[in-house]
Amino acid sequence: MNSLLDEWRFVTQGSYWRSIILSPLIAAAFFGSMFSNNQLSEARVAVIDQDHTAYARQLIEKIDASQYMNVAGIYANMKDPDDLLADEDYTAVIYLPAGLEQLRIAGKPATIGIEMDNTMPSALTNIRSAIQEVVMTENITASTAALRTMGLPDNRVSGLVTPISLQQRLLYNPTSSFIGFMVLGFVNIVALMITTTAAGSVVPRLRQEGRLEEEAQRPIGLLMRMLPYSFLTCVSLLLSYGLLKQVGGMRFVAEPYWFIIPLFAYTTAMSFLGMVIGWSARDRAKMALRTNVILYPSFLVTGVQIAPAIFPYFFQLTALPLPMTWLNKILRGMAFRGGDLYFYAREIGALLLITGICIMVIVFFASRVKEPVASLSD
């Protein structure tokens, strides 16, 4: 009993009781709000309308009225789905064929097509159900109208051949393989953890060696120290992607000599961000803990396993300063969809902006480091 009372006093006097009470509550509130949507609503879709009739417009309105789809673009002529899906402005492309209204009036079968970006399978479940529901409703409506015209009761609907069929096609990852998002995500997370920890330990190491004050007088020297981390991480990731392609069958259609440009921009931003986070850390062990500041959010909200559009808007905004957000967009765009480099100027620009902001912060931190005593005496 004395042991129990002694341990109880120790527990209540320390920080453990606050941690065990508050931490799960904070985690429950945070993750509960993050995954409150639980599904993707109002996914942006493009419609290619080759029928140009009142019925086609009516069908587009019904598609847009679905809670799971938002018709964000309507095109009168045929478009390459790779171009429409390249920069993730749309999740799917729906095709309304020419003569759709006439075929419906004549009671002849017609086919509506939908091509979906399956690089993130979690984004498509509701879209597939929603478009099937729209087509089924149209078929029931047409069948009921035909039966009434013939003077037959509505309970004969199920026996009538439906006039519209739906042809679905999953692009870029037709088998919903885990290699292209789950395995690839873990590879990127491992590289992120190692590089940010190593790059963030540079300043603590210089501080322990007594060289930080000297290095701070030449900030360009501090900045140059990040290049080896950027280069080696870039090479490592490129080799890892090649291995996943050869061994795991991961889709990778981008030319490596073009893809290395945004990849190096990513590893550079990641290295400089690591230096900013680790600037005031006392040693490598403290820096390893600080890595969690970007490690966990990068895993959760940047699109490693779950489509970012599922999260509430606030969490989508918190993903913007994280370099991995933009890497995942570039990977899905160039490597999986085969988009050209110029399609991703926005993503590369975001990585360069993150790098630039980190450089300014590092220069500011360096300016606040005390000058060596010898230089002051001069």
Side-chain angles (χ1 to χ4, degrees):
M1 180 63 69
N2 290 334
S3 299
L4 174 61
L5 294 175
D6 181 63
E7 197 62 28
W8 180 260
R9 283 193 297 269
F10 176 80
V11 167
T12 54
Q13 291 173 2
S15 60
Y16 168 76
W17 74 272
R18 290 190 294 270
S19 299
I20 193 58
I21 295 297
L22 295 178
S23 296
L25 290 175
I26 294 173
F30 181 81
F31 292 109
S33 59
M34 176 182 291
F35 295 101
S36 59
N37 290 345
N38 199 36
Q39 60 189 5
L40 178 59
S41 300
E42 296 293 324
R44 292 169 58 88
V45 300
V47 176
I48 297 179
D49 179 13
Q50 294 184 292
D51 193 38
H52 313 301
T53 61
Y55 175 67
R57 291 190 293 272
Q58 180 184 2
L59 191 57
I60 292 172
E61 291 176 358
K62 292 181 179 180
I63 294 172
D64 188 53
S66 169
Q67 63 174 320
Y68 300 120
M69 292 185 291
N70 170 28
V71 178
I74 302 175
Y75 299 89
N77 301 313
M78 183 61 68
K79 294 280 187 180
D80 189 337
D82 291 338
D83 293 339
L84 293 175
L85 300 174
D87 54 3
E88 299 190 353
D89 278 349
Y90 305 112
T91 304
V93 181
I94 300 173
Y95 298 87
L96 304 183
L100 178 62
E101 184 179 56
Q102 292 186 356
L103 290 172
R104 178 176 180 272
I105 294 174
K108 296 180 179 179
T111 301
I112 293 175
I114 179 170
E115 295 188 331
M116 294 167 283
D117 178 5
N118 199 38
T119 55
M120 291 297 293
S122 60
L124 298 184
T125 303
N126 291 329
I127 293 179
R128 299 176 70 175
S129 300
I131 190 66
Q132 289 172 353
E133 182 180 345
V134 170
V135 171
M136 182 178 66
T137 301
E138 286 300 299
N139 290 336
I140 292 175
T141 301
S143 299
T144 302
L147 287 170
R148 288 174 177 172
T149 300
M150 294 183 291
L152 298 175
D154 290 353
N155 59 13
R156 292 282 303 278
V157 171
S158 59
L160 194 66
V161 177
T162 56
I164 297 179
S165 61
L166 178 66
Q167 184 176 16
Q168 303 183 49
R169 183 184 175 197
L170 299 176
L171 301 181
Y172 317 123
N173 184 18
T175 61
S176 299
S177 170
F178 288 165
I179 298 293
F181 58 99
M182 184 174 292
V183 176
L184 182 64
F186 281 120
V187 170
N188 289 334
I189 286 293
V190 169
L192 172 71
M193 178 179 62
I194 295 173
T195 300
T196 51
T197 301
S201 300
V202 169
V203 172
R205 187 186 76 234
L206 293 174
R207 184 180 290 114
Q208 288 182 326
E209 295 173 355
R211 294 193 291 156
L212 179 58
E213 293 180 344
E214 179 184 355
E215 290 281 342
Q217 307 313 309
R218 296 176 290 104
I220 186 65
L222 282 173
L223 300 177
M224 294 292 289
R225 288 179 179 273
M226 293 297 98
L227 293 182
Y229 302 98
S230 302
F231 174 76
L232 290 176
T233 306
C234 181
V235 172
S236 173
L237 286 177
L238 198 61
L239 291 175
S240 299
Y241 299 159
L243 183 63
L244 288 177
K245 177 180 175 66
Q246 296 300 323
V247 176
M250 185 184 79
R251 178 182 174 90
F252 193 98
V253 296
E255 296 293 345
Y257 53 82
W258 286 121
F259 186 76
I260 202 170
I261 295 174
L263 185 61
F264 186 72
Y266 163 71
T267 57
T268 301
M270 181 171 60
S271 300
F272 280 110
L273 185 59
M275 175 174 270
V276 170
I277 293 174
W279 185 276
S280 61
R282 293 184 178 180
D283 50 43
R284 182 181 176 87
K286 295 292 185 181
M287 177 55 207
L289 292 175
R290 293 188 180 193
T291 303
N292 296 333
V293 173
I294 60 173
L295 182 65
Y296 293 145
S298 294
F299 183 77
L300 289 171
V301 300
T302 64
V304 172
Q305 296 188 50
I306 302 175
I310 291 178
F311 299 126
Y313 188 63
F314 168 77
F315 292 99
Q316 296 181 40
L317 290 179
T318 61
L320 298 181
L322 299 174
M324 189 171 286
T325 297
W326 308 104
L327 173 68
N328 288 333
K329 287 179 175 289
I330 294 169
L331 270 171
R332 293 192 294 265
M334 291 187 68
F336 300 158
R337 304 186 193 104
D340 294 327
L341 180 64
Y342 65 85
F343 284 165
Y344 307 100
R346 178 181 59 183
E347 286 75 11
I348 297 173
L351 292 171
L352 295 178
L353 178 62
I354 294 172
T355 302
I357 293 174
C358 289
I359 289 175
M360 288 190 294
V361 173
I362 292 169
V363 172
F364 173 74
F365 285 165
S367 68
R368 296 178 63 86
V369 175
K370 292 182 179 180
E371 296 183 356
V373 175
S375 65
L376 288 176
S377 61
D378 293 340

